[in-house]
Amino acid sequence: MEDYAVEIVDLTYTYPDGRKALHGVNLTVDKGDTAGLIGPNGAGKSTLIMLLNGVFTGKGTIKIAGLTLEKKNLKEIRKSVGVVFQNPDDQLFMPTVFDDIAFGPLNFGLSSEDVKNRVAEVIKAMKLEGFDDRMPHHLSTGEKKRVSIATVLAMRPSIIILDEPSSNLDPKGRRELIKLLKTIEGTRIIATHDLELVMEICNKVILMGKGQVVASGKTAEILSDEKLLEENDLEKPLSLRVKEEKV
């Protein structure tokens, strides 16, 4: 189906040490979806993210916007899929914020003027005005996360994958990040333990457990299923519990 942004069929992945991380993963994400990828530690979420961008290579079929993920298509797919890592220090390596954001577009061969325009655009979008010349590693965690997202947005991917975007943020930083995430257009896949964030942002949830997709569906339906969540070492979001108690 051409409306799928991501289509995965019978995907498996085994680490070099023989540990099987994924086995028989099947899932779809429609274009324009904001999908929450949830599950306990060790469920396979981070491994799946690395497979979606071709960092890891598994067995099975991965299609990105109808294009099969294989060596000959890898360059094109990496233009379409941007990954924001959990730890921004893994993503930021240039001397200044401007340099970090400009790195991707420059490597795509854009002109200096186009690069400057893209950097200015995402700096405004991520509320980073005045940060151009600052050193990324001197920023707060929340600021680093916003710069990391900006480096991906500057590439203008159609699919953005975020790994634990709200981790290690204080309440104010988390709220600011959620507001900014709501403004990002396109297809978004958010791997997270923050189920309140999922409730607020995601229209779809993919629940993983032990290297497989356990359930997939509308956010409210999955996150209201207390038995399903408990069976997969998760808890119903507090906001849902409070809402149910008031009814």
Side-chain angles (χ1 to χ4, degrees):
M1 181 178 174
E2 61 183 16
D3 286 339
Y4 291 147
V6 177
E7 183 180 8
I8 296 175
V9 179
D10 201 22
L11 180 65
T12 64
Y13 180 78
T14 303
Y15 281 103
D17 64 3
R19 179 173 64 89
K20 202 164 189 177
L22 300 177
H23 45 99
V25 169
N26 294 279
L27 67 86
T28 58
V29 177
D30 292 342
K31 290 180 180 178
D33 269 352
T34 298
L37 185 63
I38 67 172
N41 289 332
K45 303 187 298 296
S46 294
T47 303
L48 181 59
I49 287 173
M50 294 298 102
L51 284 157
L52 286 175
N53 201 32
V55 176
F56 295 166
T57 302
K59 293 181 179 179
T61 303
I62 300 175
K63 289 185 178 180
I64 305 294
L67 199 62
T68 301
L69 201 162
E70 53 190 348
K71 192 172 182 179
K72 68 178 182 179
N73 296 328
L74 199 53
K75 185 175 181 181
E76 193 63 32
I77 283 174
R78 284 180 173 165
K79 288 181 181 179
S80 300
V81 181
V83 179
V84 181
F85 298 128
Q86 178 177 353
N87 184 351
D89 289 333
D90 292 337
Q91 198 136 6
L92 306 176
F93 53 88
M94 298 295 282
T96 69
V97 167
F98 180 95
D99 293 332
D100 259 320
I101 298 173
F103 182 83
L106 280 171
N107 278 275
F108 272 175
L110 271 64
S111 69
S112 296
E113 190 63 28
D114 284 342
V115 170
K116 286 179 182 178
N117 289 337
R118 285 205 187 188
V119 172
E121 178 184 294
V122 297
I123 277 180
K124 182 178 180 181
M126 287 294 105
K127 309 294 184 188
L128 290 165
E129 292 93 338
F131 281 65
D132 306 53
D133 296 325
R134 293 183 63 177
M135 297 176 66
H137 295 295
H138 288 175
L139 303 178
S140 70
T141 301
E143 290 165 346
K144 288 180 182 180
K145 294 231 179 193
R146 282 187 279 145
V147 175
S148 293
I149 295 170
T151 67
V152 170
L153 291 180
M155 308 287 282
R156 295 182 180 171
S158 58
I159 302 167
I160 297 175
I161 302 173
L162 302 106
D163 190 7
E164 297 289 355
S166 63
S167 65
N168 300 317
L169 292 180
D170 60 27
K172 181 183 177 183
R174 179 181 171 278
R175 289 302 319 162
E176 289 175 347
L177 183 71
I178 288 174
K179 286 179 183 178
L180 290 171
L181 291 179
K182 288 180 176 180
T183 68
I184 297 174
E185 297 180 352
T187 305
R188 299 169 292 186
I189 299 173
I190 303 174
T192 183
H193 287 99
D194 187 344
L195 299 190
E196 294 291 351
L197 179 152
V198 172
M199 280 293 300
E200 195 162 343
I201 295 179
C202 301
N203 65 293
K204 175 177 183 173
V205 165
I206 300 162
L207 171 59
M208 294 190 68
K210 298 179 180 178
Q212 293 181 308
V213 173
V214 176
S216 178
K218 292 181 180 179
T219 299
E221 291 176 0
I222 300 294
L223 296 189
S224 295
D225 192 333
E226 195 161 4
K227 184 173 183 292
L228 175 67
L229 294 175
E230 287 181 356
E231 286 173 348
N232 290 277
D233 301 322
L234 300 174
E235 290 185 346
K236 184 185 291 187
L238 179 60
S239 59
L240 270 181
R241 297 202 302 269
V242 170
K243 185 178 179 180
E244 289 169 358
E245 286 172 2
K246 288 182 178 179
V247 171

